[in-house]
Amino acid sequence: MLLLLLLASALLSIPVQHVSALPNPAVVAAPPAQFTANPSIGSGTGSYKDSAHFRVYPSDADSDATLKMLEAAHSCFVEGMGWRSPGLSYKNAASATETGPWYKTNVYKVEASAMPGAAAQTWTDANAGLAYLKVVKDYMTTPGVVVHEFGHAMTYSEKNWIDQTRTGAWWETIANFIADMYIATPTCQAAKSAAGLPDGDTLIELKKVIGDSYQVLVDGTSGTGNYYQAWPFLSYITTNPDSYPGLGKETIQNMIRKYKINSNETPLHSLERLLSSSSSSGGATIQKLVGRYWARMAYVDIGHAKAKAMFESQRKSLNYANLDANGNGKWTVKSARAPRYMGASILPLKSTGANVSVVVTASGGNFTATLAVKGSGGGVRYMDLVNGSGSVALASGEEATLVVANTPALVQYDAFSIPADVNKGLGFSVQVTGATA
Ligand SMILES: *[C@@H]1O[C@H](CO)[C@@H](O)[C@H](O)[C@H]1NC(C)=O
Ligand SMILES: *[C@@H]1O[C@H](CO)[C@@H](O)[C@H](O)[C@H]1NC(C)=O
Ligand SMILES: *[C@@H]1O[C@H](CO)[C@@H](O)[C@H](O)[C@H]1NC(C)=O
């Protein structure tokens, strides 16, 4: 597995800046067509190749391909999606009007021995407030690596999560979300095809996201965590197929921009604030949002065509062994796979009749249970199970999956060091009629 690290030492050593508020940079002075070279960021020497917003050291046979890819990413995310350019110092992020200076982001091609176990790293010049990329030579033209690091550089430019350790693991989740969006979604297609660049396969790792869906939603535990794989949640809240007010193409940027300054809160707290500012207009609670995300993951119905296609092809091989049978239509979740904080149990049902009814009983704690019902045409409908109970009449060709998400009130946690109470599964049992689980 590639390790795409954002060096904690470089990231976390940045002194915290005290600013009272970060207005959206709604008024943006027009950036220059060509950003200014700044070799001092990462100490650039020797040959180089420039594009409008980037500089690659050294100039060689890969340079043009690297620059083309990064320019397409800049076009898609900065010009198209409203991310703050990594060419801007994070130190100026608090101003309502961007006045620059705008610098080319430096990219350094390095030997594999320079970063054992990693394909690339994002480094930072904390004095300048600018990021630069180091990429192992074998990966200079690999978007899953280079655009991932570009995602780190944009996150850094957005500023508010710098030095906030409870956001730490989420930087990787965002970087893979950015890389996948670039590679495999229609969002960046225009920017890529303008440069003659191809689409590629989605980065989704269903064996982890679905097979280990019981894990904490973003878990940065070394070796067993899911923080590189958890990005479909970010995809869901950006694509927003449920049209929840407060969410949309700038959801992730707003989770950073509306972050409570220097609070070290979790990204979910910031997301909850985005939702609640819209609650009067039909918004969702964070618990409902997470519950519905997992319900949509029953059939990977998150507005991501390539992820859904991959689900269809891998579905039979995924681990759904979440329950133990108690007899008489009753099942209990295996304790090792009981859903932890904001994680879920995805439980495909085999219907034995046209009317499937379920009653979920949890051993204390709040959960969100949903029936996802997929029709023969591929469309999925969702039924909220109020207090864990409900039934559905299946039409011919329909199949149902029960999804139980552990959705308590938000807690503060560091995904790199999850406290035992956050990592504790929610025990539950389920009584099913008209189907087996
Ligand atoms: C759900 O449970 C709560 C608390 O026990 C109760 O007040 C409420 O009426 C229940 N709702 C339904 C629809 O059964
Ligand atoms: C399914 O059966 C239950 C129990 O007989 C009944 O209460 C419920 O209304 C039925 N649901 C549907 C959707 O037909
Ligand atoms: C369960 O939900 C209620 C109502 O939203 C909330 O007040 C309570 O704190 C929650 N309990 C837990 C353990 O999260």
Side-chain angles (χ1 to χ4, degrees), residues 81 173-174 176-178 180-181 184-185 187 202 204 230-241 247-249 251-252 293 297 300 302-305 307:
M81 297 286 285
T173 317
I174 288 184
N176 266 357
F177 160 70
I178 292 293
D180 178 82
M181 183 171 256
T185 76
T187 306
T202 172
I204 199 164
W231 59 264
F233 178 65
L234 304 185
S235 190
Y236 167 68
I237 62 180
T238 298
T239 306
N240 195 19
L247 305 183
K249 76 172 185 176
T251 300
I252 311 305
Y293 161 65
M297 287 304 283
V300 191
I302 55 170
H304 190 313

PDB file of all heavy atoms in Angstrom, residues 81 173-174 176-178 180-181 184-185 187 202 204 230-241 247-249 251-252 293 297 300 302-305 307:
ATOM      1  N   MET A  81     -14.358  24.413  -8.485  1.00  0.00           N
ATOM      2  CA  MET A  81     -15.023  24.016  -7.237  1.00  0.00           C
ATOM      3  C   MET A  81     -14.857  25.039  -6.119  1.00  0.00           C
ATOM      4  O   MET A  81     -15.396  24.851  -5.024  1.00  0.00           O
ATOM      5  CB  MET A  81     -14.466  22.673  -6.742  1.00  0.00           C
ATOM      6  CG  MET A  81     -14.695  21.502  -7.675  1.00  0.00           C
ATOM      7  SD  MET A  81     -16.409  20.934  -7.653  1.00  0.00           S
ATOM      8  CE  MET A  81     -16.469  20.062  -6.083  1.00  0.00           C
ATOM      9  N   THR A 173      -8.195  11.654   4.257  1.00  0.00           N
ATOM     10  CA  THR A 173      -9.512  11.349   3.697  1.00  0.00           C
ATOM     11  C   THR A 173      -9.835  12.362   2.594  1.00  0.00           C
ATOM     12  O   THR A 173     -10.308  12.007   1.505  1.00  0.00           O
ATOM     13  CB  THR A 173     -10.572  11.391   4.816  1.00  0.00           C
ATOM     14  OG1 THR A 173     -10.054  10.733   5.982  1.00  0.00           O
ATOM     15  CG2 THR A 173     -11.854  10.707   4.378  1.00  0.00           C
ATOM     16  N   ILE A 174      -9.574  13.629   2.878  1.00  0.00           N
ATOM     17  CA  ILE A 174      -9.818  14.683   1.882  1.00  0.00           C
ATOM     18  C   ILE A 174      -8.921  14.487   0.662  1.00  0.00           C
ATOM     19  O   ILE A 174      -9.374  14.600  -0.479  1.00  0.00           O
ATOM     20  CB  ILE A 174      -9.592  16.079   2.495  1.00  0.00           C
ATOM     21  CG1 ILE A 174     -10.738  16.412   3.464  1.00  0.00           C
ATOM     22  CG2 ILE A 174      -9.473  17.145   1.403  1.00  0.00           C
ATOM     23  CD1 ILE A 174     -10.657  17.799   4.053  1.00  0.00           C
ATOM     24  N   ASN A 176      -7.608  11.820  -0.614  1.00  0.00           N
ATOM     25  CA  ASN A 176      -8.071  10.743  -1.491  1.00  0.00           C
ATOM     26  C   ASN A 176      -9.404  11.080  -2.150  1.00  0.00           C
ATOM     27  O   ASN A 176      -9.661  10.674  -3.290  1.00  0.00           O
ATOM     28  CB  ASN A 176      -8.163   9.415  -0.728  1.00  0.00           C
ATOM     29  CG  ASN A 176      -6.873   8.606  -0.891  1.00  0.00           C
ATOM     30  OD1 ASN A 176      -5.956   9.016  -1.599  1.00  0.00           O
ATOM     31  ND2 ASN A 176      -6.810   7.462  -0.228  1.00  0.00           N
ATOM     32  N   PHE A 177     -10.248  11.827  -1.461  1.00  0.00           N
ATOM     33  CA  PHE A 177     -11.493  12.313  -2.067  1.00  0.00           C
ATOM     34  C   PHE A 177     -11.170  13.188  -3.288  1.00  0.00           C
ATOM     35  O   PHE A 177     -11.783  13.043  -4.365  1.00  0.00           O
ATOM     36  CB  PHE A 177     -12.291  13.097  -1.021  1.00  0.00           C
ATOM     37  CG  PHE A 177     -13.326  14.033  -1.566  1.00  0.00           C
ATOM     38  CD1 PHE A 177     -14.470  13.558  -2.178  1.00  0.00           C
ATOM     39  CD2 PHE A 177     -13.148  15.411  -1.473  1.00  0.00           C
ATOM     40  CE1 PHE A 177     -15.426  14.434  -2.682  1.00  0.00           C
ATOM     41  CE2 PHE A 177     -14.092  16.288  -1.972  1.00  0.00           C
ATOM     42  CZ  PHE A 177     -15.236  15.803  -2.585  1.00  0.00           C
ATOM     43  N   ILE A 178     -10.196  14.072  -3.117  1.00  0.00           N
ATOM     44  CA  ILE A 178      -9.794  14.957  -4.221  1.00  0.00           C
ATOM     45  C   ILE A 178      -9.228  14.127  -5.384  1.00  0.00           C
ATOM     46  O   ILE A 178      -9.577  14.334  -6.552  1.00  0.00           O
ATOM     47  CB  ILE A 178      -8.750  15.996  -3.723  1.00  0.00           C
ATOM     48  CG1 ILE A 178      -9.400  16.984  -2.735  1.00  0.00           C
ATOM     49  CG2 ILE A 178      -8.087  16.738  -4.888  1.00  0.00           C
ATOM     50  CD1 ILE A 178     -10.442  17.898  -3.331  1.00  0.00           C
ATOM     51  N   ASP A 180      -9.741  10.955  -6.100  1.00  0.00           N
ATOM     52  CA  ASP A 180     -10.788  10.171  -6.766  1.00  0.00           C
ATOM     53  C   ASP A 180     -11.688  11.054  -7.624  1.00  0.00           C
ATOM     54  O   ASP A 180     -12.070  10.694  -8.735  1.00  0.00           O
ATOM     55  CB  ASP A 180     -11.645   9.415  -5.743  1.00  0.00           C
ATOM     56  CG  ASP A 180     -12.756   8.638  -6.447  1.00  0.00           C
ATOM     57  OD1 ASP A 180     -12.478   7.524  -6.932  1.00  0.00           O
ATOM     58  OD2 ASP A 180     -13.880   9.164  -6.544  1.00  0.00           O
ATOM     59  N   MET A 181     -12.022  12.224  -7.093  1.00  0.00           N
ATOM     60  CA  MET A 181     -12.894  13.120  -7.854  1.00  0.00           C
ATOM     61  C   MET A 181     -12.217  13.516  -9.167  1.00  0.00           C
ATOM     62  O   MET A 181     -12.843  13.575 -10.220  1.00  0.00           O
ATOM     63  CB  MET A 181     -13.220  14.350  -7.007  1.00  0.00           C
ATOM     64  CG  MET A 181     -14.183  15.299  -7.684  1.00  0.00           C
ATOM     65  SD  MET A 181     -14.748  16.593  -6.551  1.00  0.00           S
ATOM     66  CE  MET A 181     -16.395  16.001  -6.198  1.00  0.00           C
ATOM     67  N   ALA A 184     -11.985   9.974 -11.418  1.00  0.00           N
ATOM     68  CA  ALA A 184     -13.074   9.058 -11.767  1.00  0.00           C
ATOM     69  C   ALA A 184     -14.473   9.655 -11.771  1.00  0.00           C
ATOM     70  O   ALA A 184     -15.446   8.908 -11.890  1.00  0.00           O
ATOM     71  CB  ALA A 184     -13.033   7.859 -10.808  1.00  0.00           C
ATOM     72  N   THR A 185     -14.609  10.968 -11.616  1.00  0.00           N
ATOM     73  CA  THR A 185     -15.961  11.527 -11.618  1.00  0.00           C
ATOM     74  C   THR A 185     -16.108  12.547 -12.748  1.00  0.00           C
ATOM     75  O   THR A 185     -15.118  13.105 -13.235  1.00  0.00           O
ATOM     76  CB  THR A 185     -16.312  12.225 -10.285  1.00  0.00           C
ATOM     77  OG1 THR A 185     -15.648  13.490 -10.235  1.00  0.00           O
ATOM     78  CG2 THR A 185     -15.910  11.372  -9.085  1.00  0.00           C
ATOM     79  N   THR A 187     -16.959  15.478 -12.501  1.00  0.00           N
ATOM     80  CA  THR A 187     -16.631  16.838 -12.052  1.00  0.00           C
ATOM     81  C   THR A 187     -15.399  17.405 -12.749  1.00  0.00           C
ATOM     82  O   THR A 187     -15.386  18.586 -13.108  1.00  0.00           O
ATOM     83  CB  THR A 187     -16.407  16.848 -10.524  1.00  0.00           C
ATOM     84  OG1 THR A 187     -17.564  16.284  -9.912  1.00  0.00           O
ATOM     85  CG2 THR A 187     -16.183  18.251 -10.011  1.00  0.00           C
ATOM     86  N   THR A 202     -12.096   4.419 -10.259  1.00  0.00           N
ATOM     87  CA  THR A 202     -12.280   4.973  -8.931  1.00  0.00           C
ATOM     88  C   THR A 202     -11.296   4.347  -7.931  1.00  0.00           C
ATOM     89  O   THR A 202     -10.887   3.193  -8.088  1.00  0.00           O
ATOM     90  CB  THR A 202     -13.725   4.761  -8.429  1.00  0.00           C
ATOM     91  OG1 THR A 202     -13.807   5.162  -7.061  1.00  0.00           O
ATOM     92  CG2 THR A 202     -14.161   3.299  -8.537  1.00  0.00           C
ATOM     93  N   ILE A 204     -12.126   3.756  -4.925  1.00  0.00           N
ATOM     94  CA  ILE A 204     -12.915   3.216  -3.803  1.00  0.00           C
ATOM     95  C   ILE A 204     -12.418   1.813  -3.419  1.00  0.00           C
ATOM     96  O   ILE A 204     -12.116   0.999  -4.288  1.00  0.00           O
ATOM     97  CB  ILE A 204     -14.428   3.216  -4.120  1.00  0.00           C
ATOM     98  CG1 ILE A 204     -15.243   3.121  -2.823  1.00  0.00           C
ATOM     99  CG2 ILE A 204     -14.809   2.091  -5.089  1.00  0.00           C
ATOM    100  CD1 ILE A 204     -16.710   3.491  -2.984  1.00  0.00           C
ATOM    101  N   ALA A 230     -12.080   6.266   3.766  1.00  0.00           N
ATOM    102  CA  ALA A 230     -13.382   6.759   4.236  1.00  0.00           C
ATOM    103  C   ALA A 230     -13.971   7.868   3.363  1.00  0.00           C
ATOM    104  O   ALA A 230     -15.071   8.354   3.634  1.00  0.00           O
ATOM    105  CB  ALA A 230     -13.253   7.250   5.688  1.00  0.00           C
ATOM    106  N   TRP A 231     -13.265   8.268   2.303  1.00  0.00           N
ATOM    107  CA  TRP A 231     -13.690   9.421   1.513  1.00  0.00           C
ATOM    108  C   TRP A 231     -15.062   9.312   0.839  1.00  0.00           C
ATOM    109  O   TRP A 231     -15.627  10.369   0.487  1.00  0.00           O
ATOM    110  CB  TRP A 231     -12.619   9.776   0.467  1.00  0.00           C
ATOM    111  CG  TRP A 231     -12.320   8.667  -0.484  1.00  0.00           C
ATOM    112  CD1 TRP A 231     -11.307   7.757  -0.386  1.00  0.00           C
ATOM    113  CD2 TRP A 231     -13.045   8.318  -1.664  1.00  0.00           C
ATOM    114  NE1 TRP A 231     -11.363   6.857  -1.425  1.00  0.00           N
ATOM    115  CE2 TRP A 231     -12.424   7.183  -2.227  1.00  0.00           C
ATOM    116  CE3 TRP A 231     -14.169   8.851  -2.298  1.00  0.00           C
ATOM    117  CZ2 TRP A 231     -12.886   6.576  -3.385  1.00  0.00           C
ATOM    118  CZ3 TRP A 231     -14.639   8.249  -3.451  1.00  0.00           C
ATOM    119  CH2 TRP A 231     -13.995   7.123  -3.984  1.00  0.00           C
ATOM    120  N   PRO A 232     -15.646   8.118   0.615  1.00  0.00           N
ATOM    121  CA  PRO A 232     -17.003   8.152   0.024  1.00  0.00           C
ATOM    122  C   PRO A 232     -17.986   8.989   0.852  1.00  0.00           C
ATOM    123  O   PRO A 232     -18.945   9.547   0.304  1.00  0.00           O
ATOM    124  CB  PRO A 232     -17.397   6.677  -0.037  1.00  0.00           C
ATOM    125  CG  PRO A 232     -16.077   5.966  -0.235  1.00  0.00           C
ATOM    126  CD  PRO A 232     -15.113   6.740   0.649  1.00  0.00           C
ATOM    127  N   PHE A 233     -17.753   9.089   2.156  1.00  0.00           N
ATOM    128  CA  PHE A 233     -18.600   9.986   2.963  1.00  0.00           C
ATOM    129  C   PHE A 233     -18.460  11.435   2.470  1.00  0.00           C
ATOM    130  O   PHE A 233     -19.456  12.164   2.361  1.00  0.00           O
ATOM    131  CB  PHE A 233     -18.218   9.888   4.450  1.00  0.00           C
ATOM    132  CG  PHE A 233     -19.002  10.805   5.344  1.00  0.00           C
ATOM    133  CD1 PHE A 233     -20.375  10.642   5.515  1.00  0.00           C
ATOM    134  CD2 PHE A 233     -18.380  11.867   6.005  1.00  0.00           C
ATOM    135  CE1 PHE A 233     -21.110  11.508   6.327  1.00  0.00           C
ATOM    136  CE2 PHE A 233     -19.106  12.729   6.828  1.00  0.00           C
ATOM    137  CZ  PHE A 233     -20.471  12.547   6.980  1.00  0.00           C
ATOM    138  N   LEU A 234     -17.247  11.842   2.155  1.00  0.00           N
ATOM    139  CA  LEU A 234     -17.037  13.210   1.652  1.00  0.00           C
ATOM    140  C   LEU A 234     -17.649  13.367   0.267  1.00  0.00           C
ATOM    141  O   LEU A 234     -18.183  14.429  -0.087  1.00  0.00           O
ATOM    142  CB  LEU A 234     -15.540  13.534   1.622  1.00  0.00           C
ATOM    143  CG  LEU A 234     -14.804  13.363   2.952  1.00  0.00           C
ATOM    144  CD1 LEU A 234     -13.355  13.824   2.822  1.00  0.00           C
ATOM    145  CD2 LEU A 234     -15.505  14.136   4.071  1.00  0.00           C
ATOM    146  N   SER A 235     -17.582  12.296  -0.507  1.00  0.00           N
ATOM    147  CA  SER A 235     -18.200  12.304  -1.826  1.00  0.00           C
ATOM    148  C   SER A 235     -19.723  12.502  -1.673  1.00  0.00           C
ATOM    149  O   SER A 235     -20.340  13.328  -2.360  1.00  0.00           O
ATOM    150  CB  SER A 235     -17.865  10.961  -2.481  1.00  0.00           C
ATOM    151  OG  SER A 235     -18.214  10.942  -3.807  1.00  0.00           O
ATOM    152  N   TYR A 236     -20.306  11.761  -0.726  1.00  0.00           N
ATOM    153  CA  TYR A 236     -21.749  11.842  -0.490  1.00  0.00           C
ATOM    154  C   TYR A 236     -22.179  13.245  -0.065  1.00  0.00           C
ATOM    155  O   TYR A 236     -23.159  13.803  -0.579  1.00  0.00           O
ATOM    156  CB  TYR A 236     -22.145  10.808   0.577  1.00  0.00           C
ATOM    157  CG  TYR A 236     -23.546  10.989   1.129  1.00  0.00           C
ATOM    158  CD1 TYR A 236     -24.671  10.773   0.334  1.00  0.00           C
ATOM    159  CD2 TYR A 236     -23.735  11.406   2.450  1.00  0.00           C
ATOM    160  CE1 TYR A 236     -25.949  10.957   0.839  1.00  0.00           C
ATOM    161  CE2 TYR A 236     -25.012  11.588   2.962  1.00  0.00           C
ATOM    162  CZ  TYR A 236     -26.115  11.371   2.152  1.00  0.00           C
ATOM    163  OH  TYR A 236     -27.372  11.569   2.653  1.00  0.00           O
ATOM    164  N   ILE A 237     -21.437  13.859   0.853  1.00  0.00           N
ATOM    165  CA  ILE A 237     -21.883  15.181   1.343  1.00  0.00           C
ATOM    166  C   ILE A 237     -21.561  16.292   0.346  1.00  0.00           C
ATOM    167  O   ILE A 237     -22.053  17.407   0.481  1.00  0.00           O
ATOM    168  CB  ILE A 237     -21.302  15.515   2.752  1.00  0.00           C
ATOM    169  CG1 ILE A 237     -19.782  15.577   2.748  1.00  0.00           C
ATOM    170  CG2 ILE A 237     -21.817  14.511   3.780  1.00  0.00           C
ATOM    171  CD1 ILE A 237     -19.172  15.914   4.119  1.00  0.00           C
ATOM    172  N   THR A 238     -20.764  15.987  -0.662  1.00  0.00           N
ATOM    173  CA  THR A 238     -20.493  16.961  -1.720  1.00  0.00           C
ATOM    174  C   THR A 238     -21.508  16.813  -2.855  1.00  0.00           C
ATOM    175  O   THR A 238     -22.085  17.787  -3.326  1.00  0.00           O
ATOM    176  CB  THR A 238     -19.056  16.775  -2.256  1.00  0.00           C
ATOM    177  OG1 THR A 238     -18.139  17.012  -1.189  1.00  0.00           O
ATOM    178  CG2 THR A 238     -18.764  17.732  -3.401  1.00  0.00           C
ATOM    179  N   THR A 239     -21.721  15.582  -3.281  1.00  0.00           N
ATOM    180  CA  THR A 239     -22.702  15.322  -4.345  1.00  0.00           C
ATOM    181  C   THR A 239     -24.115  15.587  -3.843  1.00  0.00           C
ATOM    182  O   THR A 239     -24.977  16.037  -4.579  1.00  0.00           O
ATOM    183  CB  THR A 239     -22.551  13.866  -4.839  1.00  0.00           C
ATOM    184  OG1 THR A 239     -21.186  13.672  -5.208  1.00  0.00           O
ATOM    185  CG2 THR A 239     -23.436  13.601  -6.030  1.00  0.00           C
ATOM    186  N   ASN A 240     -24.330  15.294  -2.547  1.00  0.00           N
ATOM    187  CA  ASN A 240     -25.583  15.624  -1.858  1.00  0.00           C
ATOM    188  C   ASN A 240     -26.828  15.113  -2.578  1.00  0.00           C
ATOM    189  O   ASN A 240     -27.732  15.902  -2.899  1.00  0.00           O
ATOM    190  CB  ASN A 240     -25.660  17.154  -1.656  1.00  0.00           C
ATOM    191  CG  ASN A 240     -26.731  17.568  -0.652  1.00  0.00           C
ATOM    192  OD1 ASN A 240     -27.189  16.748   0.161  1.00  0.00           O
ATOM    193  ND2 ASN A 240     -27.141  18.824  -0.707  1.00  0.00           N
ATOM    194  N   PRO A 241     -26.890  13.807  -2.822  1.00  0.00           N
ATOM    195  CA  PRO A 241     -28.044  13.270  -3.549  1.00  0.00           C
ATOM    196  C   PRO A 241     -29.363  13.433  -2.795  1.00  0.00           C
ATOM    197  O   PRO A 241     -30.431  13.355  -3.403  1.00  0.00           O
ATOM    198  CB  PRO A 241     -27.691  11.783  -3.737  1.00  0.00           C
ATOM    199  CG  PRO A 241     -26.696  11.484  -2.665  1.00  0.00           C
ATOM    200  CD  PRO A 241     -25.926  12.748  -2.452  1.00  0.00           C
ATOM    201  N   LEU A 247     -25.464  21.792   2.215  1.00  0.00           N
ATOM    202  CA  LEU A 247     -24.423  20.955   1.612  1.00  0.00           C
ATOM    203  C   LEU A 247     -24.382  21.175   0.106  1.00  0.00           C
ATOM    204  O   LEU A 247     -25.360  21.595  -0.497  1.00  0.00           O
ATOM    205  CB  LEU A 247     -24.696  19.469   1.893  1.00  0.00           C
ATOM    206  CG  LEU A 247     -24.863  19.060   3.347  1.00  0.00           C
ATOM    207  CD1 LEU A 247     -25.039  17.551   3.442  1.00  0.00           C
ATOM    208  CD2 LEU A 247     -23.670  19.510   4.180  1.00  0.00           C
ATOM    209  N   GLY A 248     -23.254  20.825  -0.502  1.00  0.00           N
ATOM    210  CA  GLY A 248     -23.125  20.958  -1.946  1.00  0.00           C
ATOM    211  C   GLY A 248     -21.664  20.956  -2.344  1.00  0.00           C
ATOM    212  O   GLY A 248     -20.824  20.440  -1.600  1.00  0.00           O
ATOM    213  N   LYS A 249     -21.368  21.565  -3.467  1.00  0.00           N
ATOM    214  CA  LYS A 249     -20.018  21.389  -4.010  1.00  0.00           C
ATOM    215  C   LYS A 249     -18.936  22.043  -3.148  1.00  0.00           C
ATOM    216  O   LYS A 249     -17.760  21.722  -3.300  1.00  0.00           O
ATOM    217  CB  LYS A 249     -19.940  21.872  -5.460  1.00  0.00           C
ATOM    218  CG  LYS A 249     -19.900  23.376  -5.646  1.00  0.00           C
ATOM    219  CD  LYS A 249     -19.624  23.730  -7.119  1.00  0.00           C
ATOM    220  CE  LYS A 249     -19.453  25.227  -7.274  1.00  0.00           C
ATOM    221  NZ  LYS A 249     -19.102  25.621  -8.639  1.00  0.00           N
ATOM    222  N   THR A 251     -19.032  21.820   0.262  1.00  0.00           N
ATOM    223  CA  THR A 251     -19.176  21.277   1.618  1.00  0.00           C
ATOM    224  C   THR A 251     -17.825  21.135   2.325  1.00  0.00           C
ATOM    225  O   THR A 251     -17.672  21.553   3.478  1.00  0.00           O
ATOM    226  CB  THR A 251     -19.875  19.901   1.597  1.00  0.00           C
ATOM    227  OG1 THR A 251     -21.167  20.045   1.019  1.00  0.00           O
ATOM    228  CG2 THR A 251     -20.032  19.349   3.011  1.00  0.00           C
ATOM    229  N   ILE A 252     -16.861  20.538   1.644  1.00  0.00           N
ATOM    230  CA  ILE A 252     -15.587  20.253   2.320  1.00  0.00           C
ATOM    231  C   ILE A 252     -14.853  21.560   2.621  1.00  0.00           C
ATOM    232  O   ILE A 252     -14.334  21.752   3.729  1.00  0.00           O
ATOM    233  CB  ILE A 252     -14.706  19.314   1.462  1.00  0.00           C
ATOM    234  CG1 ILE A 252     -15.498  18.101   0.984  1.00  0.00           C
ATOM    235  CG2 ILE A 252     -13.451  18.894   2.249  1.00  0.00           C
ATOM    236  CD1 ILE A 252     -16.170  17.287   2.054  1.00  0.00           C
ATOM    237  N   TYR A 293     -26.120   8.301   4.838  1.00  0.00           N
ATOM    238  CA  TYR A 293     -24.906   7.940   4.093  1.00  0.00           C
ATOM    239  C   TYR A 293     -24.733   6.421   4.096  1.00  0.00           C
ATOM    240  O   TYR A 293     -24.557   5.795   3.057  1.00  0.00           O
ATOM    241  CB  TYR A 293     -23.677   8.613   4.702  1.00  0.00           C
ATOM    242  CG  TYR A 293     -22.371   7.953   4.285  1.00  0.00           C
ATOM    243  CD1 TYR A 293     -21.950   7.973   2.955  1.00  0.00           C
ATOM    244  CD2 TYR A 293     -21.576   7.274   5.212  1.00  0.00           C
ATOM    245  CE1 TYR A 293     -20.766   7.338   2.565  1.00  0.00           C
ATOM    246  CE2 TYR A 293     -20.397   6.643   4.835  1.00  0.00           C
ATOM    247  CZ  TYR A 293     -20.004   6.684   3.514  1.00  0.00           C
ATOM    248  OH  TYR A 293     -18.843   6.047   3.129  1.00  0.00           O
ATOM    249  N   MET A 297     -24.861   3.499   1.238  1.00  0.00           N
ATOM    250  CA  MET A 297     -23.749   2.588   0.956  1.00  0.00           C
ATOM    251  C   MET A 297     -24.212   1.129   0.858  1.00  0.00           C
ATOM    252  O   MET A 297     -23.452   0.264   0.433  1.00  0.00           O
ATOM    253  CB  MET A 297     -22.655   2.733   2.016  1.00  0.00           C
ATOM    254  CG  MET A 297     -21.849   4.027   1.887  1.00  0.00           C
ATOM    255  SD  MET A 297     -21.078   4.255   0.255  1.00  0.00           S
ATOM    256  CE  MET A 297     -19.692   3.109   0.402  1.00  0.00           C
ATOM    257  N   VAL A 300     -24.194   1.448  -2.643  1.00  0.00           N
ATOM    258  CA  VAL A 300     -23.265   2.483  -3.129  1.00  0.00           C
ATOM    259  C   VAL A 300     -23.992   3.451  -4.073  1.00  0.00           C
ATOM    260  O   VAL A 300     -23.542   3.753  -5.178  1.00  0.00           O
ATOM    261  CB  VAL A 300     -21.994   1.874  -3.746  1.00  0.00           C
ATOM    262  CG1 VAL A 300     -20.935   2.950  -3.998  1.00  0.00           C
ATOM    263  CG2 VAL A 300     -21.401   0.835  -2.790  1.00  0.00           C
ATOM    264  N   ILE A 302     -24.431   6.744  -4.054  1.00  0.00           N
ATOM    265  CA  ILE A 302     -24.011   8.050  -3.521  1.00  0.00           C
ATOM    266  C   ILE A 302     -23.742   9.057  -4.633  1.00  0.00           C
ATOM    267  O   ILE A 302     -23.054  10.056  -4.428  1.00  0.00           O
ATOM    268  CB  ILE A 302     -22.754   7.922  -2.617  1.00  0.00           C
ATOM    269  CG1 ILE A 302     -21.599   7.235  -3.362  1.00  0.00           C
ATOM    270  CG2 ILE A 302     -23.087   7.157  -1.335  1.00  0.00           C
ATOM    271  CD1 ILE A 302     -20.258   7.277  -2.620  1.00  0.00           C
ATOM    272  N   GLY A 303     -24.281   8.785  -5.818  1.00  0.00           N
ATOM    273  CA  GLY A 303     -24.059   9.737  -6.917  1.00  0.00           C
ATOM    274  C   GLY A 303     -22.668   9.597  -7.523  1.00  0.00           C
ATOM    275  O   GLY A 303     -22.092  10.581  -7.970  1.00  0.00           O
ATOM    276  N   HIS A 304     -22.146   8.381  -7.514  1.00  0.00           N
ATOM    277  CA  HIS A 304     -20.794   8.131  -8.037  1.00  0.00           C
ATOM    278  C   HIS A 304     -20.882   6.863  -8.899  1.00  0.00           C
ATOM    279  O   HIS A 304     -20.834   5.742  -8.407  1.00  0.00           O
ATOM    280  CB  HIS A 304     -19.837   7.935  -6.861  1.00  0.00           C
ATOM    281  CG  HIS A 304     -18.379   7.909  -7.232  1.00  0.00           C
ATOM    282  ND1 HIS A 304     -17.883   7.171  -8.281  1.00  0.00           N
ATOM    283  CD2 HIS A 304     -17.305   8.531  -6.678  1.00  0.00           C
ATOM    284  CE1 HIS A 304     -16.565   7.345  -8.356  1.00  0.00           C
ATOM    285  NE2 HIS A 304     -16.195   8.166  -7.388  1.00  0.00           N
ATOM    286  N   ALA A 305     -21.024   7.065 -10.207  1.00  0.00           N
ATOM    287  CA  ALA A 305     -21.332   5.948 -11.106  1.00  0.00           C
ATOM    288  C   ALA A 305     -20.255   4.864 -11.094  1.00  0.00           C
ATOM    289  O   ALA A 305     -20.562   3.670 -11.106  1.00  0.00           O
ATOM    290  CB  ALA A 305     -21.531   6.480 -12.528  1.00  0.00           C
ATOM    291  N   ALA A 307     -18.097   4.157  -8.718  1.00  0.00           N
ATOM    292  CA  ALA A 307     -18.087   3.444  -7.435  1.00  0.00           C
ATOM    293  C   ALA A 307     -19.222   2.427  -7.402  1.00  0.00           C
ATOM    294  O   ALA A 307     -19.056   1.298  -6.935  1.00  0.00           O
ATOM    295  CB  ALA A 307     -18.206   4.437  -6.283  1.00  0.00           C
TER     296      ALA A 307
END
